[in-house]
């Protein structure tokens, strides 16, 4: 998948988890920011290994994904333990700590999206065993399938964004000027 698809995927996943967890606006912003920030992180191997199939250790489910989850858990615990030092603007220290699990969400979303391509991702280590969709269902990077996935994730991100970040209240306020209007048929 291309970079912009990974960023939108990270945002959609961060907002979905925020909505499912019932987080408030500040917590959702922190978690989603963490997800977006790491949504392209597995592609760091493209900067190191310039071959067309750059997927190496960062693109493995067990190694790369496992390390991302472990680091996120450690960072969350550390941030929570040192919470008094990390309140930032309107974000409480506990909400700032949500950036860490958001990072794991963005990383794992990247792996899930790449697993849907014809190249798939490695399960354990490069050259071990690839996992992903069967070739006939796989998405071509930069193709119409990716564009469709991007569109669905954008729609999901906007819908979840309005729901999580307060759009539901805006929708009820914006409809109030129409209350009491009578439409007469002709």
């Amino acid at each position: 998948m291309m970079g912009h698809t990974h960023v939108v995927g990270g945002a959609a996943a961060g907002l979905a988890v925020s909505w499912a967890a019932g987080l408030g606006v500040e917590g959702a912003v922190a978690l989603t920011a963490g997800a977006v920030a790491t949504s392209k992180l597995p592609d760091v191997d493209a900067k190191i290994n310039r071959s067309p199939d750059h997927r190496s250790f960062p693109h493995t489910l067990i190694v790369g994904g496992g390390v991302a989850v472990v680091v996120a858990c450690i960072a969350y615990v550390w941030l929570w333990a040192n919470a008094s030092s990390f309140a930032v603007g309107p974000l409480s220290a506990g909400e700032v700590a949500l950036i860490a699990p958001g990072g794991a969400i963005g990383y794992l979303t990247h792996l899930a999206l790449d697993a849907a391509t014809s190249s798939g991702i490695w399960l354990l280590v490069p050259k071990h065993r690839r996992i992903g969709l069967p070739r006939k269902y796989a998405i071509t990077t930069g193709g119409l399938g990716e564009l469709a996935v991007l569109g669905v994730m954008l729609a999901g991100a906007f819908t979840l964004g309005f729901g999580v970040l307060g759009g539901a209240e805006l929708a009820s306020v914006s409809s109030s000027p129409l209350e009491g209007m009578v439409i007469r048929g002709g």
Side-chain angles (χ1 to χ4, degrees), residues 1 6 38-39 41-43 55-69 104-117 120-123 131-132:
M1 298 278 175
H6 288 301
T38 60
S39 63
L41 188 59
D43 283 338
R55 295 181 184 167
S56 63
F57 282 104
H59 277 91
T60 58
L61 183 60
I62 305 292
V63 177
V67 167
V69 170
I105 291 166
Y107 198 101
L108 293 173
T109 300
H110 182 109
L111 295 181
L113 287 169
D114 278 354
T117 66
I121 62 171
W122 300 104
L123 177 62
I131 58 172

Side-chain angles (χ1 to χ4, degrees):
M1 298 278 175
M2 298 176 73
H4 56 274
T5 304
H6 288 301
V7 170
V8 171
L15 288 166
V17 171
S18 297
W19 175 78
L23 296 179
V25 172
E26 292 82 4
V29 168
L31 188 113
T32 303
V36 169
T38 60
S39 63
K40 291 175 54 176
L41 188 59
D43 283 338
V44 71
D45 60 356
K47 304 292 183 202
I48 299 165
N49 180 5
R50 300 210 181 263
S51 71
D53 184 18
H54 65 272
R55 295 181 184 167
S56 63
F57 282 104
H59 277 91
T60 58
L61 183 60
I62 305 292
V63 177
V67 167
V69 170
V70 168
V71 167
C73 289
I74 292 169
Y76 180 77
V77 170
W78 185 83
L79 285 168
W80 192 261
N82 296 294
S84 60
S85 312
F86 290 103
V88 178
L91 298 179
S92 71
E95 291 160 343
V96 170
L98 289 173
I99 294 170
I105 291 166
Y107 198 101
L108 293 173
T109 300
H110 182 109
L111 295 181
L113 287 169
D114 278 354
T117 66
S118 57
S119 298
I121 62 171
W122 300 104
L123 177 62
L124 184 58
V125 293
K127 312 293 185 221
H128 177 251
R129 179 175 164 227
R130 285 196 187 251
I131 58 172
L133 294 176
R135 288 232 185 248
K136 71 181 198 176
Y137 301 114
I139 298 168
T140 303
T141 300
L144 288 176
E146 181 175 354
L147 186 60
V149 168
L150 178 63
V152 168
M153 289 189 309
L154 270 171
F158 278 114
T159 302
L160 288 163
F162 281 118
V164 171
L165 302 178
E169 291 121 23
L170 291 176
S172 65
V173 171
S174 67
S175 64
S176 63
L178 300 178
E179 287 180 24
M181 289 184 69
V182 177
I183 300 175
R184 301 181 195 273

